[in-house]
Amino acid sequence: MITNYYQGTRPTGTPGRTWLSGSHRYSRLMLLAMLLLLPGISAWAQVKIQGSIISDEDDAPLLGVTVVVKGTTTGVVTDEAGKFSLTVPDETSVLIVRSYGFATQELTVGTQRTFDIRLMTEAQTIGEVVLIGYGTQKKSDLTGAITSITSKDFIAGNIQSPEQLITGKVAGVQITNNGGAPGSGATIRIRGGSSLNANNDPLIVIDGVPVESSGISGSANALSFINPNDIESFSILKDASATAIYGSRASNGVIIITTKKGKAGDKMHVQFNTVQSLATGTRFVDVLTGDEFRSVVNERGNAGAKAILGTANTNWQDQIFRTAFSSDNNVSLTGALKETPYRLSVGNLSQNGILKTTSMNRTSASFGITPEFLDRHLRVDVNLKGIRQGNNFGEQGAIGAAVNFDPTQPVYSNSDKFGGYYEWLDANGNPNTLATRNPLSLLETTTNTSNVLRSIGNVQLDYRFHFLPDLRANLNLGYDVSQSSGVRQIAADVASNYSRGGVDATYNQSKINKVLDFYLNYTKESGIHKVDLLGGYSYQDFVREDSSLDKNVAGTVFTNTYYKSQYTLVSFYGRLNYTLASKYLFTFTLRDDGSSKFGPGNRWGLFPSAAFAWKIKDETFLKNVKGVDDLKLRLGYGVTGQQDVFGDYPYLARYTPSLENAQYQFGNVFYNTLRPEGYDANIKWEQTTTYNAGLDYAFADGRVTGSIDYYFKQTKDLLAVIPVPAGSNLTNQILTNVGNIENKGLEFVINVNPVRKRDLRVDIGFNLTYNENTITNLTKVEDPTYPGILVGGISGGVGNTVQIHTVGYNTNAFYVYRQVYDENGNPIEGLYEDTNGDGRSTPDDRYRYKSPNPRLFMGANAQVTYKDLSFSFVARSNIGNYMYNNIYSERGVYRSIANSNNFLSNLSPDVFNSNFQNNQYFSDYYIQNASFLRLDNVTLGYNLSSLFNNKFRAHLSLIGQNLALATKYKGIDPEIQGGIDNNFYPRPRTISLGLNVNL
């Protein structure tokens, strides 16, 4: 018989061994039963939990979020309300919360039974998660020099091309816009140029598709085909330990562009963005007015010059430039179909240039969808982008013509001949073939248009194996195709092409770039060890087809060309990331690249890299130190390759047909000849070795963050075009592997958050880069007497150059005479220092002087937010760069008013300083300091949401671009790629009004 069963405190006076109940026999039976059921005891320890998951960005519940018990296949997904419930083995279980488009979280169950989880979007957590080659990585685990910029930090305003979003924002990255023309491109340099004649541009990867670096016919900028409004983030890979996974074409760094995606579980919302802009010219070339020019000609000109002076006061630059209006409108739909995120966007940019008749119209569409299958083990990422771009390039030669044309002449003549425009004529009444053409006529009588279609897309399949969740397979199939056509037409009776009977020219181009990438990725964490192993194969094929026809209006053909070309890249690659005790990080990468641009014996290049990072903050001696939030040391080494040179078959013998005006006559028949081109059958990969040491830091509760990096780059086997010794019967220049270049520099980044309150926040950022570029070898056999390779062609004379590549100096160093001055500091015409001491004035007296490359460039930005009001600015500075003022050297002399050819050309006011009669093209007098400080962008914004009771989000912004410039340079702009100022399309000042609405 069983007596009372007591729970809790033992009754007083009851024997301890019998206090539970009844007889010993029943106790023994119960104990035996428990032992027999021991395998099922764990089920009794299971814990039931529940929770809800919302987006940290807008507090919306998230549908389809996966909640899995780490190390098992047990898991659930959230419902439409973001709710979930799950039974886990015990309180030590770890939950992995994952959803595409959001940062993954890991949570230990512990004693908690109800979880309220907020997931941050990838855009919000880009500071923690960074895109690297073929994957992502936590910023805290990076071993290489990688910088990420997200959409919340992009530059606002009249943005026509992606690179403009980050100008001045990244240390070590110099972005120089190539001018103010609509759709104009930019020159991007990451840690200086590594090559002489091969491509110095970084590799651009858009949503997993490496795009071809060469341009597209009919477009000034290959990157302008990506709508900046569709971009979510940039990841810039700067050192070889980060870029080596891309091997080929990675010597100049890698820029990974990711476009915006939908979010799982998100309701559909619509975003509309519009920016309306006005652009005006701010700086124009300084020339003489009509009255000033008349005064000079009357004082110093001969009788012939005085006789043809006009009576007008024409500002020719006013005639060709205008105030230009632009409109950029974009709409996007983002959401999820049940558990499948998607995004669809359409945009149109209509931009007019400040040079009359120049414009660009771009219509873009983008679609992305990310479904998941097989119990979320298979994710399919589809990205499609298409753009149609129409360009009107006008006639940019009108810029130089406006500088040169006589300001005393009228715009129009009294005759209907030549369109009624005033022109310089010869004795027969025909256009003077030596004189400058009427600038306005050049613009208004020239048709120079193009239409370009381009599409970039890919399908990426990522499968996590059911039987081994730590192993993933990733297949990426992508393409980049374009089709372009252009027309250039000038009537037969127009002065600019009167002698050839006008122009009727067309061109067409087709480009197809196919991509296949496949890799396996295995990750495993065990105790203090974590391994991330990746191995893959890459195939990329480029096919290009071009044709062009140039004839006059009557149908006489001058050139008619067609060619089709192809090259292929094949690669095998692998990477190992190993973490020890969460604070010692190792990365090893190896890539084997094959390029069809090289012969069979030199086709393959092997590119290794290694890196190490030490999380010093996690060491015992710093772990508990207040004020130090992060301190990490990074060391890296790697080798990358370069094969991107002009021409797809540089190792093969080639023959070039002669032009129509260089035929050989047999009897009455003219035949084209074939000219053999010089070539090097043993041409091979150019290789760059990079060493990097960096320190990442964070102090004062994250209010001060940044990094310091030192790098050293050595490029050997340069792909360079060099002169061929006299006696060769093939060519006077050849592309071969010769020479070495070194780049070394220092990068410093600091971001400060001095004020962090509920209604007020202040963020300040500053980056500084010092870069020194030196050529260390240029010949296959050591020759200390070799002067170098002449480069830097200028306007004036035939074949004149003012730059040189020389051992021991920067690339593109200016190569000029040292000007001699009188006691009053005035230059003495034609008198230069005898630098070699031979007692004569010869070309050997030229010396290497300064460089167009800045030694130091900086960027500064700040943002202040007070309640609904925000203010931000971006400024940039170059220090140590110099410019050759070709306007001064060409127009700053009195020679042009001697009137030996029955026409007049305007002068630069610098002629009053130099007093030169004849052109002194090679004088260092024209090398000018072009250091500058530019205020790039100022934005004032206001959040309108509170005005509408937060029923929808809206933001109004007023943006100014290129607002101020401080420089000693006397020309039109101190920031011209290449360092030679001539015929430059001015950068406008732009004022924009923007409105962003989210419904």
Side-chain angles (χ1 to χ4, degrees):
M1 172 176 159
I2 300 176
T3 58
N4 294 332
Y5 178 71
Y6 291 94
Q7 296 182 3
T9 306
R10 182 176 60 191
T12 304
T14 305
R17 59 183 178 180
T18 60
W19 76 275
L20 281 175
S21 63
S23 67
H24 300 292
R25 181 179 55 162
Y26 287 103
S27 298
R28 292 191 185 104
L29 287 173
M30 290 179 65
L31 178 60
L32 178 61
M34 291 176 64
L35 291 172
L36 291 173
L37 294 173
L38 189 60
I41 287 289
S42 61
W44 295 3
Q46 289 184 335
V47 177
K48 188 172 183 179
I49 62 173
Q50 61 183 3
S52 62
I53 302 177
I54 63 175
S55 168
D56 187 66
E57 188 175 43
D58 54 14
D59 294 334
L62 295 176
L63 167 70
V65 179
T66 303
V67 183
V68 178
V69 179
K70 189 173 183 178
T72 74
T73 57
T74 301
V76 295
V77 296
T78 56
D79 60 20
E80 292 184 355
K83 305 289 186 180
F84 72 93
S85 60
L86 178 66
T87 300
V88 301
D90 53 49
E91 293 182 346
T92 63
S93 299
V94 176
L95 304 179
I96 299 178
V97 184
R98 181 186 294 116
S99 181
Y100 184 78
F102 293 86
T104 299
Q105 285 192 31
E106 293 190 9
L107 304 168
T108 302
V109 172
T111 59
Q112 193 171 349
R113 297 297 177 265
T114 300
F115 292 83
D116 294 317
I117 302 170
R118 304 176 73 90
L119 286 187
M120 298 180 71
T121 65
E122 288 179 348
Q124 291 173 295
T125 60
I126 198 71
E128 289 75 38
V129 180
V130 175
L131 282 172
I132 59 176
Y134 307 105
T136 61
Q137 199 170 29
K138 289 183 179 180
K139 184 176 181 180
S140 59
D141 293 339
L142 292 177
T143 57
I146 300 177
T147 299
S148 291
I149 301 289
T150 64
S151 55
K152 65 184 179 64
D153 295 316
F154 288 167
I155 293 175
N158 184 19
I159 304 297
Q160 54 188 303
S161 188
E163 71 276 2
Q164 297 174 10
L165 295 169
I166 60 172
T167 301
K169 291 271 190 174
V170 184
V173 179
Q174 185 181 12
I175 300 175
T176 304
N177 192 280
N178 295 336
S184 62
T187 300
I188 306 174
R189 293 292 177 264
I190 298 179
R191 294 183 167 182
S194 300
S195 187
L196 291 182
N197 292 101
N199 194 345
N200 275 305
D201 296 333
L203 174 65
I204 309 292
V205 181
I206 302 174
D207 285 334
V209 179
V211 297
E212 190 187 13
S213 56
S214 63
I216 296 175
S217 294
S219 173
N221 179 10
L223 272 182
S224 68
F225 290 91
I226 304 301
N227 187 340
N229 289 277
D230 289 331
I231 296 177
E232 180 59 49
S233 68
F234 289 78
S235 282
I236 298 97
L237 284 57
K238 294 186 283 190
D239 73 334
S241 67
T243 63
I245 191 66
Y246 286 106
S248 61
R249 301 177 293 155
S251 289
N252 305 303
V254 179
I255 297 178
I256 302 174
I257 297 176
T258 302
T259 57
K260 295 174 181 176
K261 317 288 185 191
K263 303 173 188 132
D266 199 1
K267 294 181 180 180
M268 187 187 79
H269 64 271
V270 180
Q271 183 180 70
F272 173 71
N273 181 67
T274 182
V275 178
Q276 309 298 315
S277 306
L278 279 178
T280 58
T282 58
R283 293 167 64 98
F284 298 106
V285 177
D286 191 13
V287 291
L288 300 185
T289 67
D291 288 338
E292 291 170 339
F293 187 67
R294 264 187 295 271
S295 176
V296 171
V297 172
N298 286 325
E299 179 182 347
R300 304 194 55 143
N302 58 22
K306 296 175 184 178
I308 58 177
L309 270 174
T311 59
N313 269 291
T314 303
N315 186 324
W316 289 102
Q317 292 180 87
D318 277 355
Q319 293 294 321
I320 66 170
F321 290 110
R322 65 184 176 185
T323 297
F325 176 76
S326 299
S327 179
D328 189 7
N329 301 283
N330 296 271
V331 62
S332 66
L333 281 73
T334 306
L337 298 171
K338 293 186 178 180
E339 300 176 8
T340 301
Y342 66 87
R343 183 177 186 271
L344 173 65
S345 71
V346 178
N348 177 261
L349 169 64
S350 178
Q351 183 180 27
N352 293 309
I354 61 171
L355 179 66
K356 291 178 179 178
T357 76
T358 60
S359 62
M360 179 184 76
N361 189 286
R362 179 182 67 203
T363 300
S364 64
S366 175
F367 176 70
I369 189 168
T370 312
E372 292 185 333
F373 306 96
L374 305 177
D375 294 329
R376 298 186 174 273
H377 280 256
L378 175 63
R379 188 181 74 193
V380 181
D381 192 2
V382 180
N383 300 285
L384 302 173
K385 288 170 279 291
I387 282 188
R388 179 194 177 279
Q389 187 179 101
N391 299 285
N392 190 339
F393 298 109
E395 176 51 77
Q396 294 191 28
I399 298 174
V403 172
N404 293 339
F405 210 90
D406 179 1
T408 69
Q409 306 302 335
V411 177
Y412 303 101
S413 68
N414 295 323
S415 169
D416 292 335
K417 198 174 183 181
F418 310 119
Y421 297 96
Y422 179 88
E423 299 284 1
W424 290 109
L425 307 178
D426 61 20
N428 297 318
N430 296 324
N432 187 328
T433 57
L434 299 177
T436 303
R437 301 274 72 89
N438 185 303
L440 191 61
S441 172
L442 288 174
L443 289 174
E444 294 183 343
T445 62
T446 300
T447 297
N448 187 6
T449 60
S450 72
N451 284 288
V452 187
L453 300 173
R454 189 178 189 183
S455 179
I456 300 174
N458 70 317
V459 177
Q460 192 167 99
L461 294 86
D462 191 277
Y463 173 65
R464 190 178 300 274
F465 287 83
H466 282 74
F467 63 88
L468 186 59
D470 296 324
L471 180 64
R472 293 170 44 237
N474 188 287
L475 175 65
N476 180 32
L477 302 172
Y479 70 88
D480 176 6
V481 298
S482 65
Q483 182 74 45
S484 61
S485 61
V487 174
R488 180 175 170 82
Q489 294 175 328
I490 301 174
D493 61 348
V494 172
S496 60
N497 283 270
Y498 185 79
S499 61
R500 81 192 298 268
V503 176
D504 185 12
T506 59
Y507 58 87
N508 293 274
Q509 184 186 74
S510 173
K511 303 181 85 170
I512 301 175
N513 167 16
K514 295 173 289 186
V515 178
L516 184 151
D517 267 313
F518 176 78
Y519 65 84
L520 292 171
N521 183 210
Y522 176 78
T523 58
K524 185 67 175 179
E525 188 170 357
S526 178
I528 63 172
H529 307 282
K530 182 179 180 181
V531 175
D532 185 338
L533 183 63
L534 179 144
Y537 165 82
S538 178
Y539 168 87
Q540 198 163 6
D541 185 63
F542 305 87
V543 178
R544 183 172 70 254
E545 192 171 356
D546 285 85
S547 65
S548 63
L549 174 63
D550 181 19
K551 62 185 189 326
N552 65 13
V553 174
T556 302
V557 175
F558 298 100
T559 60
N560 187 2
T561 62
Y562 167 83
Y563 75 89
K564 185 175 183 179
S565 187
Q566 178 180 15
Y567 77 93
T568 305
L569 295 170
V570 175
S571 307
F572 300 90
Y573 54 87
R575 179 176 62 212
L576 171 63
N577 286 320
Y578 170 67
T579 303
L580 177 63
S582 298
K583 57 186 176 182
Y584 307 109
L585 312 167
F586 302 87
T587 300
F588 304 96
T589 304
L590 187 66
R591 180 161 177 141
D592 197 15
D593 277 318
S595 171
S596 64
K597 290 194 174 186
F598 305 127
N602 297 307
R603 187 152 290 167
W604 291 90
L606 194 64
F607 306 110
S609 78
F612 166 73
W614 174 26
K615 295 183 179 179
I616 307 173
K617 168 60 181 174
D618 292 344
E619 296 291 352
T620 305
F621 59 85
L622 266 184
K623 199 173 186 75
N624 298 316
V625 174
K626 292 183 179 180
V628 180
D629 304 308
D630 184 33
L631 197 63
K632 183 174 72 173
L633 174 69
R634 293 177 282 104
L635 302 173
Y637 158 85
V639 181
T640 49
Q642 174 63 282
Q643 54 85 53
D644 202 353
V645 294
F646 177 78
D648 294 336
Y649 314 102
Y651 74 97
L652 292 176
R654 303 178 308 284
Y655 295 86
T656 301
S658 63
L659 299 176
E660 299 295 328
N661 60 354
Q663 297 174 319
Y664 196 85
Q665 183 178 4
F666 278 100
N668 295 324
V669 181
F670 291 83
Y671 295 91
N672 286 89
T673 60
L674 294 177
R675 182 184 72 249
E677 299 288 349
Y679 72 99
D680 180 357
N682 296 313
I683 196 170
K684 61 182 180 180
W685 287 89
E686 178 180 291
Q687 295 191 11
T688 299
T689 301
T690 303
Y691 304 86
N692 192 92
L695 186 70
D696 300 327
Y697 61 85
F699 305 111
D701 193 25
R703 290 178 180 267
V704 180
T705 62
S707 63
I708 303 172
D709 279 83
Y710 171 80
Y711 61 86
F712 181 68
K713 297 166 60 176
Q714 291 179 306
T715 304
K716 68 175 184 178
D717 297 325
L718 286 170
L719 290 165
V721 176
I722 61 173
V724 174
S728 171
N729 60 357
L730 292 179
T731 183
N732 57 357
Q733 289 187 325
I734 191 171
L735 175 67
T736 186
N737 293 97
V738 59
N740 305 72
I741 289 179
E742 290 182 356
N743 274 283
K744 57 184 177 181
L746 184 70
E747 298 172 359
F748 173 73
V749 178
I750 185 168
N751 299 294
V752 182
N753 175 217
V755 181
R756 188 192 298 171
K757 297 181 179 180
R758 180 178 179 179
D759 291 334
L760 177 63
R761 182 182 178 95
V762 179
D763 293 284
I764 302 170
F766 176 77
N767 64 79
L768 177 150
T769 304
Y770 170 84
N771 185 79
E772 185 176 333
N773 169 287
T774 307
I775 299 173
T776 57
N777 180 36
L778 270 183
T779 56
K780 293 192 174 185
V781 178
E782 186 175 350
D783 181 6
T785 64
Y786 180 58
I789 303 172
L790 294 173
V791 292
I794 61 171
S795 175
V798 178
N800 282 338
T801 60
V802 294
Q803 293 173 329
I804 192 169
H805 298 319
T806 304
V807 173
Y809 294 87
N810 287 352
T811 56
N812 300 295
F814 293 108
Y815 192 45
V816 288
Y817 296 110
R818 183 175 284 122
Q819 180 68 52
V820 174
Y821 296 82
D822 62 22
E823 63 276 8
N824 297 318
N826 300 314
I828 302 175
E829 183 169 351
L831 186 59
Y832 307 108
E833 285 190 21
D834 179 17
T835 56
N836 64 0
D838 64 359
R840 298 178 301 157
S841 179
T842 68
D844 292 336
D845 288 323
R846 286 180 290 178
Y847 76 114
R848 288 86 183 162
Y849 177 61
K850 304 298 183 181
S851 168
N853 306 314
R855 286 292 183 93
L856 197 67
F857 58 93
M858 299 174 285
N861 62 87
Q863 180 164 329
V864 180
T865 303
Y866 176 69
K867 294 185 177 180
D868 290 328
L869 190 66
S870 63
F871 169 82
S872 65
F873 77 84
V874 178
R876 292 183 300 113
S877 178
N878 282 9
I879 297 177
N881 55 305
Y882 282 74
M883 188 81 67
Y884 176 80
N885 196 324
N886 203 178
I887 302 293
Y888 278 16
S889 66
E890 179 75 357
R891 307 269 22 109
V893 296
Y894 291 111
R895 173 176 174 269
S896 63
I897 61 173
N899 190 32
S900 59
N901 296 303
N902 201 35
F903 70 93
L904 291 173
S905 295
N906 203 355
L907 302 179
S908 163
D910 184 65
V911 71
F912 304 136
N913 299 319
S914 69
N915 207 34
F916 288 161
Q917 180 66 32
N918 295 303
N919 300 98
Q920 307 297 312
Y921 291 116
F922 305 108
S923 171
D924 64 3
Y925 172 82
Y926 296 112
I927 309 299
Q928 299 175 2
N929 188 338
S931 300
F932 68 86
L933 172 63
R934 189 189 297 272
L935 182 59
D936 259 348
N937 183 285
V938 173
T939 300
L940 182 65
Y942 186 75
N943 184 2
L944 301 172
S945 303
S946 58
L947 299 179
F948 301 96
N949 298 319
N950 294 310
K951 292 181 179 180
F952 61 88
R953 288 181 293 166
H955 188 80
L956 185 68
S957 54
L958 179 65
I959 308 130
Q961 295 169 263
N962 192 26
L963 293 179
L965 176 67
T967 182
K968 291 182 178 180
Y969 181 62
K970 299 175 183 178
I972 187 172
D973 199 302
E975 192 178 12
I976 300 176
Q977 182 62 31
I980 297 174
D981 181 1
N982 187 43
N983 206 56
F984 184 72
Y985 194 126
R987 293 184 177 93
R989 174 176 297 140
T990 305
I991 305 298
S992 304
L993 184 65
L995 176 66
N996 183 283
V997 180
N998 285 274
L999 302 175

